[in-house]
Amino acid sequence: MDNTHTAALLSLLDKSELTALGKFLRSPFFTAKKHLPLLFAELREAEQWTISSPKDVFPKLFEGEAFDDHKWNKALSDLNGCIRDFLAVRQLLSDPQLRAQADVSIFFKRTDKRAFKHAVDTALGNKTQKTKPETADGWQLRFWTLKHAASYALTDRTKSAGQLLDDMGESVELYYLISKLQLACNHASSTRVLDIKSDRDGYQQLLEQTAHFDHSGKSAMLTLYRALLNLLTTPDARFEAFFALLQHQGPRLERSELESVVRLALNYCIHRYHAGKAEAFEWYRQMFGWADGQKTWTVSAASEAFFLNDGMMFAKSRDAAGFEAFLEKGKNALPKKQRKKAITLLRAYWHFYQSEFRTAAILLHQLDSRHPLHSLRFHMLNVCNTYEEWRQEQVEPEDLERALRSFRDFLQGNTILSQSKRQSYRNLVWFIQKMAQHGKKRSLSKEQLQAEFAKRQFAAPDWVAAKIGELL
């Protein structure tokens, strides 16, 4: 019998949540169907949340009744509904903004003015002396709450009408502009890596449109996202000025909102570093250290892409204790299926930066270069590491050429990465190939390679500069 949907829902819950679900099902407030706790108990004991013989379980749920396929499926459907209700209740209780919105909705339909006002004041933050951390959705909630307050049946619309309308207008405009800035920053960041068209005129128009609200100082989010968009789209923008602003305004943001800003800024540092801005590595370390001290990271930090990006930078730092601490803290946040290969790749990078090229090669051989998140990082490390092995006569020239050809083929077939991003890696391949030919007839001299180095943008510029410097 197919009960995979039920199994999928149950698999979302951890041990403590499963225990809480059992109590939820036994509460007559939520369901009076006495067979549901029994069905849940059977599923909880079954392997992978599935029951292979429903006909054996059915009599335990419906004593004295013959097996009824429709009734069995209806019981599973009812259990699925209860699981969703359980998750909804848990979410409502754990999300202050959602709870505040629910309270306003509840009392909006009732004629208890005092209870409604209390719900509105709570949603607007008027009940506490402490300033609430800012979120984009907080501005949307403010507008939504004020709109309900204005249209409540017992509201006196002759009092403070102008102020209320102005407040609603400001709230919805800030929510709109912050959301536009967030989208623009994500778009601008993505165009550095992905094949997405940049909208420079639109970015500039948005920066001009939001200048007034920035100067008003009413939203730290708008100020920071506006500064971030300027950093991402203006060639001569100063990172130091943005970082100083982030340190000043960042603590006003809710943690997940701050993490979004920090992540985009860290990606900017990585891009600038790969584009040849050597000091961007220090920018990255400063920002990561500050954000870590602010306890910025949330569940979204479990993203494998973030884990790999951060891990590669930690590996490059050559800080053994910091690298191991990062792996220990980050690996448990990743799903088990992702964990092993991600850690293997990062350890390969670590050994590469320790000049332990044979160990790095052994780890790389354990990986599948076709993995969508690993492929670019895999190929980049593989060509650099194989070049180092070739210089130490640990591999044959054919091995190096094979690694370079594999990377070229990958870049040729990849239509997701932006043209500039692919070109930076093609330039890396070109330099490795030319350095390997150095000293042969008609090869480029060290001086010619240094001249090309000054003209081109490419990945791993500090490594390439060091390797050119080692040529005789």
Side-chain angles (χ1 to χ4, degrees):
M1 183 65 64
D2 183 16
N3 55 346
T4 54
H5 182 53
T6 307
L9 287 173
L10 290 171
S11 68
L12 298 174
L13 309 181
D14 61 28
K15 189 174 180 179
S16 64
E17 288 174 322
L18 288 169
T19 300
L21 174 60
K23 296 177 182 178
F24 179 92
L25 294 171
R26 289 193 295 273
S27 169
F29 179 81
F30 294 105
T31 177
K33 296 179 179 179
K34 296 182 179 180
H35 62 273
L36 291 184
L38 300 175
L39 176 58
F40 170 66
E42 293 292 332
L43 283 165
R44 193 169 183 181
E45 292 298 324
E47 186 177 356
Q48 297 180 344
W49 316 113
T50 59
I51 294 174
S52 57
S53 303
K55 291 182 179 181
D56 294 335
V57 175
F58 190 86
K60 300 179 183 179
L61 310 183
F62 307 102
E63 188 175 356
E65 296 185 32
F67 179 75
D68 183 330
D69 186 73
H70 175 75
K71 194 167 187 177
W72 170 258
N73 286 327
K74 180 65 167 59
L76 288 173
S77 179
D78 289 343
L79 180 58
N80 294 345
C82 282
I83 296 171
R84 290 194 295 272
D85 290 345
F86 168 76
L87 292 172
V89 170
R90 300 275 284 197
Q91 184 64 32
L92 179 67
L93 295 177
S94 65
D95 187 334
Q97 184 164 303
L98 189 60
R99 179 59 187 268
Q101 188 171 351
D103 284 346
V104 172
S105 294
I106 290 166
F107 294 109
F108 179 77
K109 299 176 182 178
R110 289 165 171 79
T111 56
D112 187 331
K113 187 175 181 180
R114 184 177 178 181
F116 178 70
K117 185 178 184 305
H118 183 275
V120 168
D121 286 342
T122 300
L124 296 178
N126 297 338
K127 284 299 201 180
T128 176
Q129 298 295 323
K130 188 177 180 181
T131 303
K132 293 196 301 184
E134 185 182 356
T135 67
D137 288 341
W139 288 107
Q140 189 274 341
L141 174 63
R142 184 174 183 81
F143 167 74
W144 180 91
T145 302
L146 291 170
K147 184 176 71 170
H148 276 67
S151 55
Y152 181 55
L154 300 181
T155 295
D156 185 350
R157 293 172 179 79
T158 64
K159 294 182 178 180
S160 305
Q163 178 61 43
L164 182 60
L165 291 172
D166 288 345
D167 202 352
M168 288 172 62
E170 182 182 69
S171 298
V172 74
E173 195 158 15
L174 279 170
Y175 173 67
Y176 167 76
L177 291 175
I178 291 168
S179 298
K180 287 280 289 182
L181 285 166
Q182 287 176 321
L183 288 171
C185 287
N186 277 279
H187 193 280
S189 181
S190 297
T191 57
R192 296 175 177 275
V193 180
L194 305 178
D195 189 17
I196 299 173
K197 186 178 179 181
S198 179
D199 183 13
R200 293 189 179 277
D201 291 339
Y203 300 150
Q204 186 58 41
Q205 184 180 5
L206 185 56
L207 288 171
E208 294 171 359
Q209 183 184 6
T210 52
H212 166 70
F213 287 94
D214 184 4
H215 297 150
S216 74
K218 290 189 176 181
S219 170
M221 285 194 71
L222 186 140
T223 295
L224 280 174
Y225 271 108
R226 190 169 181 274
L228 179 61
L229 182 60
N230 182 65
L231 181 71
L232 294 171
T233 60
T234 306
D236 58 349
R238 293 181 59 248
F239 173 81
E240 293 82 2
F242 169 79
F243 186 44
L245 184 65
L246 177 64
Q247 291 173 296
H248 177 63
Q249 298 280 13
R252 292 174 57 186
L253 272 59
E254 188 270 336
R255 195 157 62 105
S256 64
E257 296 283 12
L258 177 59
E259 182 185 16
S260 297
V261 175
V262 168
R263 283 296 175 193
L264 288 170
L266 288 174
N267 287 344
Y268 167 83
C269 294
I270 293 172
H271 172 79
R272 296 294 291 137
Y273 172 69
H274 286 165
K277 196 79 170 177
E279 57 265 42
F281 181 73
E282 285 306 314
W283 297 349
Y284 181 97
R285 294 197 69 184
Q286 288 175 7
M287 176 165 290
F288 190 97
W290 176 82
D292 203 39
Q294 295 289 313
K295 303 187 185 316
T296 302
W297 317 123
T298 63
V299 174
S300 64
S303 163
E304 187 173 4
F306 291 153
F307 181 71
L308 290 171
N309 281 343
D310 293 336
M312 287 170 60
M313 298 300 271
F314 267 94
K316 181 174 175 53
S317 72
R318 300 191 180 185
D319 175 5
F323 178 71
E324 290 299 332
F326 169 81
L327 288 186
E328 191 61 33
K329 182 167 61 174
K331 70 180 182 181
N332 293 326
L334 290 177
K336 289 183 179 179
K337 290 183 179 179
Q338 300 171 221
R339 193 178 302 166
K340 184 176 180 181
K341 288 187 176 181
I343 291 174
T344 299
L345 180 59
L346 291 182
R347 289 204 178 279
Y349 267 94
W350 170 262
H351 288 290
F352 171 77
Y353 287 122
Q354 302 305 307
S355 300
E356 298 167 354
F357 307 120
R358 185 90 297 262
T359 304
I362 292 171
L363 291 170
L364 285 171
H365 290 156
Q366 298 174 17
L367 296 170
D368 181 357
S369 64
R370 293 171 295 178
H371 190 292
L373 283 175
H374 297 170
S375 52
L376 182 62
R377 300 173 178 90
F378 170 89
H379 281 293
M380 177 180 170
L381 179 58
N382 192 42
V383 293
C384 294
N385 194 73
T386 306
Y387 174 79
E388 296 282 14
E389 287 190 289
W390 170 77
R391 291 183 68 232
Q392 295 183 0
E393 299 183 348
Q394 294 177 347
V395 298
E396 298 298 323
E398 293 79 9
D399 296 312
L400 177 58
E401 181 53 41
R402 188 181 304 112
L404 293 169
R405 184 170 59 251
S406 178
F407 199 6
R408 281 195 300 266
D409 291 344
F410 167 76
L411 294 171
Q412 181 66 28
N414 190 302
T415 57
I416 298 174
L417 295 175
S418 66
Q419 180 60 35
S420 61
K421 191 73 171 177
R422 278 181 283 170
Q423 189 58 49
S424 70
Y425 288 103
R426 289 193 185 102
N427 288 341
L428 172 64
V429 170
W430 183 88
F431 268 102
I432 292 176
Q433 198 165 32
K434 296 304 179 184
M435 289 189 298
Q437 294 169 354
H438 179 70
K440 297 181 181 179
K441 189 176 181 180
R442 296 181 181 177
S443 63
L444 295 182
S445 67
K446 181 175 180 178
E447 290 71 23
Q448 288 174 314
L449 284 171
Q450 288 172 331
E452 289 294 329
F453 180 88
K455 291 190 297 184
R456 300 180 183 229
Q457 285 195 346
F458 45 88
D462 52 346
W463 179 81
V464 172
K467 296 304 110 179
I468 293 175
E470 292 172 4
L471 298 176
L472 299 176

